[in-house]
Amino acid sequence: MKRTFDYLDHLEAQAIHILREAAGQFERPALLFSGGKDSIVLVKLAEKAFRPGKFPFPLIHIDTGHNFPEVLAFRDKLAGQLGEKLLIRKVEDTIRRQGLTDPRGKFPSRNALQTFTLLETIEELELDACIGGARRDEEKARAKERIFSIRDEFGQWDPKRQRPEIWDIYNGHIRKGENVRVFPISNWTELDVWNYIRRENIELPEIYFAHERNCIRTAGGQLLAITEHINLDTDDDIVVRNVRFRTVGDATCTAAVESTATTLEDIIEEITTTNLSERGATRLDDRISEAAMEDRKKNGYF
């Protein structure tokens, strides 16, 4: 019996259209790929958009050096299976080249420094478009983005300068030095992503599923995995909990959530019943101020 066209088919078709538009309108695009669930979904969509041919862009990871090892291992495995070019650019190299100050303190996140490495990479490779897995439901600054989000010659984002997008028509015209950030799954929610992962039987790093882990409990009650990059004190509240990660990134600012969800069905049920957003519940760097993400984006953050 033929399957009926549902909302996931609509989201998939729109994302594939956007990927093909990006490949057609830009001369040197790249897909930002971290090994996280949203970028894995982007890779799956790119396969549907361009196979049996090769991707018309490389995969690029801006590596803070503070990532979860299991995510990096999955990133490398998937890139190898795809047979696609994976370029890795390290924040640590940018710190050395530009004389930047490596963050210190208890949770020395390098997330803000990713901006410098990304802008370096755009200049090095002469990229005119970077495709990423950001979604409008992640954070209020993300909701101001267009699908084709223009950046000026300094890599900066101005929410007042974005172009209207009507009837799925995307304007990729830019002047020399400018570039565009392309968001094929911007209209998806976290729940949409997980439902698509279940439908397409997409493999993910095990860190997304509940497991036992040693964590430090912060003053705000968040659970951060203990890694070599977190500076522990003798009076820290160290606990062992069953946790999973809703989002992955710099391990020094990405908290876990207590969970018993070991299957996709469990995760979907858990998300359906929670009233906390994905980033709001787990990303410490978004709590610096009300406009923390928007300020980083204006300076060139993805």
Side-chain angles (χ1 to χ4, degrees), residues 27-247:
E27 294 182 5
R28 299 180 70 87
L31 191 152
L32 300 185
F33 175 65
S34 65
K37 72 180 188 311
D38 296 319
S39 63
I40 291 170
V41 166
L42 274 188
V43 165
K44 178 68 173 181
L45 292 165
E47 287 190 279
K48 293 198 174 192
F50 303 113
R51 290 296 191 236
K54 300 283 285 183
F55 291 177
F57 37 66
L59 308 177
I60 295 178
H61 184 207
I62 305 300
D63 185 356
T64 66
H66 292 175
N67 298 90
F68 295 99
E70 51 265 63
V71 177
L72 297 183
F74 189 92
R75 174 202 68 185
D76 295 341
K77 182 182 80 169
L78 182 55
Q81 291 172 347
L82 291 167
E84 298 291 344
K85 180 187 293 185
L86 172 63
L87 304 176
I88 300 170
R89 295 296 182 266
K90 297 184 177 182
V91 170
E92 188 172 346
D93 294 337
T94 305
I95 291 172
R96 192 163 46 247
R97 276 193 297 268
Q98 297 193 25
L100 303 175
T101 300
D102 205 354
R104 302 184 184 280
K106 192 168 197 61
F107 306 111
S109 170
R110 287 177 172 173
N111 254 14
L113 297 184
Q114 281 184 298
T115 297
F116 295 92
T117 307
L118 177 59
L119 295 179
E120 265 192 351
T121 304
I122 289 170
E123 182 177 6
E124 172 202 350
L125 301 176
E126 299 180 338
L127 302 177
D128 52 3
C130 293
I131 304 165
R135 305 187 322 271
R136 287 177 176 142
D137 74 321
E138 289 181 88
E139 201 273 344
K140 60 186 178 182
R142 299 282 201 205
K144 297 180 182 180
E145 292 277 18
R146 299 290 191 266
I147 301 293
F148 277 21
S149 183
I150 193 168
R151 301 299 198 270
D152 66 19
E153 60 270 27
F154 302 106
Q156 296 177 328
W157 173 70
D158 182 355
K160 297 180 181 178
R161 192 171 166 247
Q162 300 306 305
R163 299 162 175 170
E165 292 176 337
I166 305 171
W167 303 309
D168 289 341
I169 296 174
Y170 306 108
N171 181 359
H173 178 72
I174 55 174
R175 295 189 293 266
K176 185 175 177 58
E178 295 179 333
N179 64 84
V180 171
R181 310 294 167 83
V182 179
F183 303 114
I185 62 171
S186 185
N187 289 333
W188 298 40
T189 66
E190 181 188 13
L191 187 57
D192 295 334
V193 169
W194 282 104
N195 278 322
Y196 189 74
I197 288 168
R198 177 174 61 177
R199 192 185 82 173
E200 299 295 318
N201 195 28
I202 297 173
E203 185 183 1
L204 295 176
E206 288 298 320
I207 197 169
Y208 283 108
F209 300 89
H211 58 284
E212 188 175 86
R213 189 175 285 254
N214 294 328
C215 299
I216 176 173
R217 195 199 311 270
T218 70
Q222 294 84 26
L223 296 170
L224 269 72
I226 295 177
T227 71
E228 61 182 313
H229 306 295
I230 291 177
N231 297 309
L232 296 175
D233 297 315
T234 55
D235 59 347
D236 281 330
D237 185 12
I238 307 300
V239 297
V240 180
R241 293 288 185 271
N242 283 319
V243 299
R244 71 176 190 88
F245 290 83
R246 290 176 68 182
T247 179

